[in-house]
Amino acid sequence: MPTIDTAYHYYLSTYANQSTSRYDSHKKSELRNIYNDIVKINKDSPLYKIKRSEDVQKFAIDIKESTRLIKNVVASLSDAEEGIGNAFQKKIAFSSQEDVVTANYLGDNKASEELENFSIEVKQLASPQINQGAYLDKNRLNLKPGSYSFDLENSVAAYEFQFTVNSEDTNFSTQNKLAGLITNADIGLKASVIENADGLSALQVESLSTGINPNDVFLFSISPQGTHDSMAAIDALGIDHVAQEAQNAVFLLNGTEQMAYDNTFLLDNNFELTLHGVSPEGKPAVIGFKTNADAMTENIQTLVDSYNSVLQTANKYSISQPQSVKLYRDMSGTAFAYQKSLENIGLMVGDNGEIAIDDERLTETVSSDDFEQKLSVLNDFKNLLNMKANNASLDPMKYVEKVLVTYKNPGKTFVTPYITSIYSGMMMDEYC
């Protein structure tokens, strides 16, 4: 039985909610270079079979994601113009009230010179539409056995849903059946069964999007089809009842009222703002930039965290995937290669290769007049780290447990595309 579903489920449950970066987009020439690198590796790769293990897919995916993080961090620190100081002085936005609003600066350092601090006072958060059905006895059945249908309409299209109630069903099983039917339809809604303090259950339908166009009355509506039985069923379930209307985010930007459909939005293509709560009356949050020393410290911390994460991935699978030691050696070697120079600026390399930051020493370094000279080692470190991460990302399968079948004939190698597909499609079968 193919295990591809297991791989997808792990990826979606672990990484799908992570935000994408602009560094995840590539030009055609960059994609062509990646393809050529894969083909080159492919030609010299021996024939092997993957050992059966539940951790193979998880380990390969974790390698890909942890190395992608490193490459994105390094790319973000390589956007600056000349000088290591400019790279690690990449501007970082701050909010004076992070429980109300957080900010992420997306522009470059040059553009930031013309930007000033601004204030934002959140009056209302954006919210979804929620339809909540009637609370019913879980163990009884308020609908008589038979077939039912109802219409669900959103701003894009109208859909017809049909469901069947059997004599052995209960209100609870029927509600769960409908929750799965609506959620799996993938039309921008999620449905779930909730319970109250009395142990009664109700079907709740919620829009995935927030906010609403002023010209729209609703994000979605549910209505029974014209038969008496269907009308009675929807009346019993109560899912046509709107418990919460969708609302837009409302805020004052430098005193001027603005509106957004979502709680996360772009401002002038320079800032990504995320609203978390309503501001205290008359007390707006101030959005600005951290000082150069603070920005440098945070950027260095981000680089260190991405490096440590890939070592933690290797250690996590050290028992089930003994070949993970190769990943550990490849990545930790970058820190050991520059250990003395890194420790001089406050990046302490432990015996296990992980880096811990000495805050006092690092602050002293970034605040010194000759900080660029002292931080020059970071440029060499991040470039070597990026090369190692790129190699691991191109062929994560070299770190998993496998059985070597045969080497290729030297000088007469050829491309074997299915080697690459072992990762890209997770083509691993229990019977292989």
Side-chain angles (χ1 to χ4, degrees):
M1 174 181 171
T3 56
I4 190 170
D5 288 345
T6 304
Y8 287 159
H9 181 269
Y10 177 73
Y11 176 80
L12 291 173
S13 61
T14 308
Y15 296 106
N17 291 330
Q18 293 185 359
S19 60
T20 56
S21 161
R22 64 189 176 100
Y23 303 107
D24 290 313
S25 300
H26 301 280
K27 300 176 182 176
K28 288 183 179 179
S29 58
E30 293 172 325
L31 294 175
R32 189 180 300 112
N33 289 337
I34 292 173
Y35 169 78
N36 290 334
D37 287 339
I38 291 175
V39 170
K40 185 177 180 181
I41 293 171
N42 213 308
K43 289 180 68 175
D44 298 321
S45 176
L47 177 64
Y48 60 83
K49 295 181 72 175
I50 302 296
K51 284 190 174 182
R52 186 185 304 176
S53 169
E54 294 181 358
D55 281 342
V56 171
Q57 298 97 332
K58 295 179 181 179
F59 184 37
I61 290 171
D62 286 349
I63 292 173
K64 271 289 204 180
E65 290 302 309
S66 58
T67 53
R68 181 179 70 89
L69 175 60
I70 289 176
K71 289 162 62 180
N72 285 353
V73 170
V74 171
S76 72
L77 296 176
S78 302
D79 273 351
E81 298 174 356
E82 295 292 328
I84 187 67
N86 286 331
F88 284 92
Q89 282 182 6
K90 176 177 161 56
K91 291 296 185 181
I92 295 178
F94 79 90
S95 167
S96 62
Q97 298 177 29
E98 297 222 331
D99 58 331
V100 174
V101 57
T102 52
N104 180 27
Y105 179 61
L106 305 178
D108 55 33
N109 283 4
K110 188 174 182 180
S112 69
E113 295 173 0
E114 302 176 1
L115 299 175
E116 298 180 351
N117 293 0
F118 59 91
S119 66
I120 179 169
E121 183 177 346
V122 182
K123 295 292 187 179
Q124 176 180 286
L125 292 177
S127 59
Q129 177 181 329
I130 298 176
N131 281 24
Q132 184 172 311
Y135 282 102
L136 305 175
D137 188 326
K138 294 168 58 177
N139 299 316
R140 294 184 58 192
L141 181 60
N142 287 42
L143 280 65
K144 66 181 182 180
S147 297
Y148 302 92
S149 58
F150 61 90
D151 293 324
L152 195 156
E153 182 180 356
N154 58 25
S155 57
V156 178
Y159 307 88
E160 178 184 333
F161 286 84
Q162 298 179 346
F163 65 101
T164 301
V165 176
N166 301 312
S167 57
E168 64 271 17
D169 283 331
T170 62
N171 290 325
F172 188 66
S173 65
T174 301
Q175 290 165 338
N176 276 289
K177 185 187 302 182
L178 283 171
L181 184 66
I182 294 172
T183 301
N184 294 333
D186 194 22
I187 56 174
L189 302 174
K190 62 177 179 181
S192 59
V193 180
I194 58 175
E195 298 181 36
N196 64 10
D198 297 325
L200 304 179
S201 61
L203 178 59
Q204 180 174 281
V205 185
E206 179 179 344
S207 62
L208 296 180
S209 61
T210 58
I212 187 167
N213 188 300
N215 297 324
D216 292 333
V217 179
F218 51 80
L219 289 183
F220 68 92
S221 68
I222 297 175
S223 58
Q225 291 205 336
T227 67
H228 178 271
D229 286 346
S230 291
M231 287 189 285
I234 296 303
D235 183 59
L237 293 168
I239 54 175
D240 55 342
H241 169 66
V242 179
Q244 174 183 289
E245 295 183 353
Q247 292 184 324
N248 297 320
V250 179
F251 53 93
L252 301 180
L253 186 64
N254 288 335
T256 302
E257 185 170 289
Q258 303 279 347
M259 182 190 72
Y261 294 132
D262 200 348
N263 289 316
T264 297
F265 54 90
L266 293 180
L267 185 63
D268 297 331
N269 289 323
N270 286 316
F271 293 91
E272 180 186 66
L273 300 181
T274 300
L275 309 183
H276 301 286
V278 175
S279 303
E281 186 66 32
K283 295 183 178 179
V286 176
I287 307 296
F289 292 109
K290 293 187 176 183
T291 64
N292 285 347
D294 288 340
M296 290 171 69
T297 300
E298 188 163 327
N299 285 320
I300 292 170
Q301 181 71 65
T302 301
L303 178 64
V304 167
D305 288 345
S306 67
Y307 161 77
N308 285 340
S309 71
V310 76
L311 293 191
Q312 290 160 5
T313 294
N315 289 329
K316 177 181 175 182
Y317 294 95
S318 60
I319 296 177
S320 63
Q321 298 292 317
Q323 287 296 316
S324 65
V325 69
K326 292 175 61 179
L327 176 65
Y328 166 79
R329 289 171 180 166
D330 283 353
M331 304 309 295
S332 64
T334 59
F336 288 130
Y338 299 103
Q339 183 171 1
K340 185 175 180 180
S341 298
L342 290 172
E343 291 182 345
N344 286 338
I345 64 173
L347 275 61
M348 316 308 292
V349 182
D351 293 339
N352 63 353
E354 291 191 26
I355 297 176
I357 291 182
D358 183 330
D359 293 329
E360 185 176 343
R361 186 179 298 185
L362 181 59
T363 300
E364 182 181 331
T365 299
V366 299
S367 302
S368 62
D369 293 334
D370 59 343
F371 70 88
E372 287 211 24
Q373 180 180 349
K374 292 180 178 178
L375 293 179
S376 61
V377 62
L378 285 177
N379 207 31
D380 297 329
F381 171 67
K382 74 178 179 67
N383 289 340
L384 180 58
L385 181 61
N386 188 55
M387 184 188 73
K388 295 287 189 179
N390 189 59
N391 290 339
S393 177
L394 287 172
D395 186 15
M397 306 309 292
K398 68 181 177 181
Y399 300 110
V400 304
E401 275 297 283
K402 51 187 173 285
V403 176
L404 182 62
V405 178
T406 182
Y407 285 102
K408 291 182 178 177
N409 189 359
K412 297 182 179 180
T413 57
F414 55 90
V415 178
T416 50
Y418 290 106
I419 294 297
T420 303
S421 73
I422 286 177
Y423 172 78
S424 61
M426 286 297 167
M427 302 297 185
M428 302 174 199
D429 192 286
E430 288 184 8
Y431 302 107
C432 66

